């Protein structure tokens, strides 16, 4: 982590500033050390370059595994595509002027693929995640200028109110125990006039129900076994889909078929069947959360359910 990050961080419990003690540094990067809260005397370690505000990856062990196994698959600059850039635009609608020279929070950073996009448009980005995906994000992006990675829980974030010019969260909040409550933690962190954009899974009726029925079984399978099964079953079900007569059988177990290659589809299928929490939502419900947080200029983007809004000036 860079020393500058300390000025943005506070104790998640008492919201007081933290003092830094460095054990090991490599140039501008603090590799090992500690952040101490002088007020409540809690301390938060800096391990492998990342400040850690949680002691375990709790219910997101699947994501720790998934994102460290597929550290680079979806990262534009490393994998040589622009899929994450396109997805970022589609699901947040954040414009260059909303990002350039702004302080931005990426909630549920995963491998850091969207942090890369926001940073390339001129934002200083802090990416947080509950899982050890932060280690993948740090390896991918952590040393870049204007990028910070923090391991923290959305329900207990180490930031002051009115800190960020923009906040986005893509595909994350529905993986927490309570999507609405997780969302409610974010608007207070926005500066007045700041923008928040989220994408959460849509409730797609029968399709979602079918997926949830399969997930009720797959979340009981040890994650490595499930991962191996994905490598075997994704090609199988994708092929079945094109066989007349039995193609409807393939619909019983939906697998990813995005035309971005087998590795991407295996990752996506594991992502669909391994999370403990995976809520689905309808547009009016999400708009209600934005209204409930007194956000203005609420906009629903075309990719369901992507919604953005602005915190009004007092
Ligand atoms: C499907 S991944 C999306 C990652 C990234 N936004 C992307 O699209 O590439 C969901 C992420 O949410 C994170 N997550 C789930 N619950 C969380 C929580 N309570 N606090 C912070 N992150 C959380 C998971 O660890 C995981 O990395
Ligand atoms: Zn404290």
């Amino acid at each position: 982590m860079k020393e500058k990050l300390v000025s943005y961080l506070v104790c998640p419990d008492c919201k007081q500033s933290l003092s830094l003690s460095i054990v090991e540094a490599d140039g501008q990067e603090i590799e090992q050390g500690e952040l101490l809260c002088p007020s409540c005397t809690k301390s938060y370690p800096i391990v492998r370059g990342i400040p850690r505000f949680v002691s375990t990856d709790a219910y997101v062990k699947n994501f720790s595994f998934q994102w460290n196994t597929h550290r680079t698959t979806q990262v534009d600059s490393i994998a040589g595509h622009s899929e994450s850039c396109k997805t970022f635009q589609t699901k947040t609608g954040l414009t260059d002027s909303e990002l350039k020279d702004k302080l931005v929070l990426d909630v549920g950073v995963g491998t850091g693929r969207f942090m890369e996009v926001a940073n390339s448009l001129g934002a200083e980005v802090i990416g947080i995640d509950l899982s050890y995906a932060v280690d993948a994000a740090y390896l991918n992006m952590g040393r870049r200028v204007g990028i910070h990675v923090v391991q923290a829980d959305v329900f207990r974030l180490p930031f002051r109110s009115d800190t960020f010019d923009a906040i986005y969260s893509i595909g994350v909040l529905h993986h927490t125990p309570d999507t609405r409550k997780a969302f409610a933690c974010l608007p207070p962190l926005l500066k007045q006039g700041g923008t928040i954009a989220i994408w959460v899974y849509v409730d797609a009726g029968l399709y979602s129900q079918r997926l949830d029925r399969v997930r009720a079984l797959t979340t009981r399978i040890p994650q490595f076994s499930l991962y191996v099964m994905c490598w075997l079953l994704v090609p199988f079900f994708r092929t079945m889909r094109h066989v007349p007569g039995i193609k409807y059988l393939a619909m019983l177990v939906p697998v990813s078929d995005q035309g971005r290659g087998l590795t991407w589809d295996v990752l996506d299928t594991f992502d669909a069947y391994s999370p403990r929490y995976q809520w689905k939502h309808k547009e009016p419900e999400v708009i209600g959360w934005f209204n409930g947080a007194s956000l203005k200029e609420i906009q629903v983007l075309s990719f369901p359910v992507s919604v953005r809004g602005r915190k009004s000036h007092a």
Side-chain angles (χ1 to χ4, degrees):
M1 69 167 259
K2 294 156 194 79
E3 194 160 347
K4 184 178 182 194
L5 178 58
V6 184
S7 62
Y8 300 129
L9 294 172
V10 292
C11 172
D13 292 333
C14 71
K15 301 289 175 193
Q16 297 303 307
S17 300
L18 298 168
S19 67
L20 168 69
S21 103
I22 301 173
V23 172
E24 191 189 325
D26 176 12
Q28 301 295 302
E29 287 294 319
I30 300 157
E31 301 286 354
Q32 310 287 341
E34 195 175 54
L35 291 159
L36 205 93
C37 174
S39 174
C40 72
T41 71
K42 290 205 175 101
S43 72
Y44 306 97
I46 301 161
V47 181
R48 297 187 295 279
I50 303 167
R52 315 272 175 167
F53 291 91
V54 291
S55 51
T56 74
D57 55 354
Y59 59 87
V60 286
K61 297 193 185 340
N62 60 306
F63 288 117
S64 295
F65 169 78
Q66 170 179 317
W67 293 131
N68 282 289
T69 305
H70 287 273
R71 177 170 70 81
T72 59
T73 307
Q74 298 184 327
V75 178
D76 286 356
S77 66
I78 305 178
H81 51 62
S82 54
E83 296 298 330
S84 297
C85 182
K86 287 184 219 152
T87 305
F88 181 84
Q89 304 296 354
T90 312
K91 292 181 177 172
T92 71
L94 285 168
T95 59
D96 294 11
S97 64
E98 286 169 322
L99 294 168
K100 188 157 173 41
D101 301 324
K102 300 293 192 315
L103 183 64
V104 175
L105 180 66
D106 179 330
V107 179
V109 70
T111 58
R113 62 182 177 137
F114 296 123
M115 191 156 73
E116 172 171 63
V117 179
N119 180 245
S120 72
L121 294 171
E124 178 168 13
V125 193
I126 303 179
I128 71 101
D129 203 292
L130 175 57
S131 75
Y132 294 108
V134 288
D135 290 291
Y138 186 75
L139 272 175
N140 286 340
M141 315 282 159
R143 289 172 176 267
R144 296 190 189 180
V145 176
I147 285 202
H148 312 276
V149 181
V150 175
Q151 190 175 12
D153 187 342
V154 66
F155 293 101
R156 194 172 157 264
L157 287 171
F159 304 111
R160 289 183 195 86
S161 300
D162 304 302
T163 295
F164 295 98
D165 298 292
I167 299 177
Y168 64 86
S169 181
I170 305 177
V172 173
L173 304 176
H174 50 247
H175 288 307
T176 70
D178 187 320
T179 317
R180 183 189 60 79
K181 285 188 184 156
F183 171 76
C185 296
L186 302 177
L189 304 181
L190 272 181
K191 288 180 190 164
Q192 290 175 14
T195 304
I196 178 164
I198 66 165
W199 173 65
V200 292
Y201 280 172
V202 66
D203 181 344
L206 276 178
Y207 178 81
S208 298
Q209 287 167 21
R210 218 177 316 138
L211 214 104
D212 276 342
R213 269 200 297 275
V214 180
R215 202 171 56 83
L217 300 174
T218 53
T219 44
R220 293 177 194 182
I221 300 172
Q223 67 184 18
F224 189 70
S225 306
L226 178 64
Y227 181 64
V228 172
M229 283 169 70
C230 288
W231 275 103
L232 300 172
L233 294 178
V234 169
F236 176 72
F237 280 105
R238 282 200 320 191
T239 312
M240 257 176 78
R241 228 183 251 181
H242 304 290
V243 180
I246 56 167
K247 65 179 180 190
Y248 296 105
L249 274 178
M251 286 167 64
L252 292 174
V253 183
V255 298
S256 177
D257 192 358
Q258 303 216 16
R260 294 167 180 154
L262 180 60
T263 306
W264 190 298
D265 287 336
V266 168
L267 162 59
D268 242 23
T269 304
F270 181 82
D271 182 279
Y273 288 128
S274 60
R276 165 121 161 240
Y277 300 108
Q278 197 185 86
W279 309 108
K280 321 283 190 298
H281 301 282
K282 292 204 156 71
E283 209 175 276
E285 185 189 2
V286 179
I287 294 173
W289 304 341
F290 276 67
N291 279 319
S294 303
L295 293 159
K296 305 291 176 218
E297 297 172 44
I298 300 168
Q299 258 181 286
V300 178
L301 309 185
S302 59
F303 198 102
V305 175
S306 309
V307 181
R308 45 171 286 157
R310 201 179 293 281
K311 187 166 176 175
S312 57
H313 295 272

